[in-house]
Amino acid sequence: GAVVSQHPSRVICKSGTSVKIECRSLDFQATTMFWYRQFPKQSLMLMATSNEGSKATYEQGVEKDKFLINHASLTLSTLTVTSAHPEDSSFYICSAETGRVGYNEQFFGPGTRLTVL
Amino acid sequence: AQSVTQLDSHVSVSEGTPVLLRCNYSSSYSPSLFWYVQHPNKGLQLLLKYTSAATLVKGINGFEAEFKKSETSFHLTKPSAHMSDAAEYFCVVSGSGGGADGLTFGKGTHLIIQP
């Protein structure tokens, strides 16, 4: 089956620093990738949708200047949390969609736990 | 606009007994509906999906769900629970066919299996 990886799986950083999270589709090309955020004991919330080669579409309430998304290739999307603060601590999950007609399953990465001190 | 409501935050059953996880949805379009499972410290795994074909959908690990348009429900069931089923389950809706759309997740149901 399709595999999506995320790196790093866990990161701890100081307040004010920036953190980059990578999301890769290992055995398929992903025309669309999604970034989700999961707070403790809560459900996932969609942050943004990224299409290869174009600007990401952010959900309402998500700061595009704080959460920079780059989808430079069909197998890689990156999320950069800029000037991170403790309230940004969360579990970030990406997913990738193959884009084949009629095949709309999303494959999820294992997630990245971000802790901002 | 679309939304999904998982009616129970926690469900506890004994091993070997049936499982029922309830989900109601709201969607302006003909929805695609999914159930995902998340085991501790692991990524999300798709259990099953409904995309306007058969209303009774069979998934992995013995799970199935029935799409009932009149009740706007998509409840997940399994005839006999196993200890390995203990996990967090998410009911998910995607609008307009599900293609290249972000998913809307329910708040999740924590399934506890008693020995």
Side-chain angles (χ1 to χ4, degrees):
Chain A
V3 178
V4 175
S5 70
Q6 279 185 243
H7 178 79
S9 58
R10 187 182 294 268
V11 57
I12 300 172
C13 69
K14 292 183 179 180
S15 185
T17 60
S18 294
V19 175
K20 180 185 283 188
I21 302 170
E22 292 186 349
C23 175
R24 294 182 184 273
S25 56
L26 298 184
D27 50 3
F28 66 100
Q29 292 185 327
T31 54
T32 304
M33 288 185 169
F34 304 87
W35 286 95
Y36 296 85
R37 184 174 179 177
Q38 186 179 27
F39 290 100
K41 300 185 179 180
Q42 294 189 30
S43 185
L44 280 73
M45 291 182 59
L46 179 64
M47 297 175 66
T49 303
S50 73
N51 292 293
E52 185 266 338
S54 62
K55 289 185 178 180
T57 302
Y58 290 82
E59 295 298 300
Q60 194 172 8
V62 178
E63 298 176 59
K64 64 177 70 176
D65 294 330
K66 179 165 190 62
F67 299 99
L68 301 178
I69 292 172
N70 185 287
H71 193 159
S73 76
L74 287 171
T75 59
L76 173 64
S77 176
T78 60
L79 168 68
T80 301
V81 183
T82 62
S83 187
H85 290 281
E87 58 265 28
D88 299 324
S89 297
S90 190
F91 195 56
Y92 293 88
I93 300 175
C94 74
S95 71
E97 190 175 81
T98 63
R100 284 181 278 167
V101 175
Y103 193 75
N104 53 16
E105 182 177 343
Q106 289 187 25
F107 299 94
F108 288 82
T112 297
R113 182 161 304 284
L114 171 63
T115 302
V116 185
L117 303 176
Chain B
Q2 57 198 29
S3 65
V4 61
T5 303
Q6 290 182 243
L7 299 162
D8 307 293
S9 59
H10 290 78
V11 169
S12 180
V13 301
S14 298
E15 189 176 18
T17 64
V19 175
L20 169 64
L21 304 184
R22 299 183 293 168
C23 172
N24 287 97
Y25 70 91
S26 171
S27 176
S28 303
Y29 307 96
S30 296
S32 294
L33 293 157
F34 310 79
W35 275 97
Y36 284 90
V37 60
Q38 186 178 32
H39 287 91
N41 300 315
K42 291 191 175 181
L44 286 161
Q45 181 182 22
L46 179 67
L47 280 177
L48 49 81
K49 62 179 177 180
Y50 166 79
T51 54
S52 75
T55 56
L56 181 62
V57 182
K58 294 188 183 298
I60 61 172
N61 300 336
F63 285 95
E64 62 182 37
E66 186 172 7
F67 174 73
K68 291 187 176 180
K69 187 174 182 179
S70 60
E71 299 176 10
T72 61
S73 69
F74 190 58
H75 301 334
L76 181 71
T77 60
K78 182 173 180 176
S80 177
H82 191 273
M83 293 301 291
S84 60
D85 295 328
E88 192 81 15
Y89 291 80
F90 293 98
C91 181
V92 181
V93 64
S94 175
S96 60
D101 286 333
L103 306 176
T104 301
F105 282 73
K107 291 183 183 252
T109 298
H110 188 63
L111 178 62
I112 301 164
I113 310 296
Q114 306 278 6

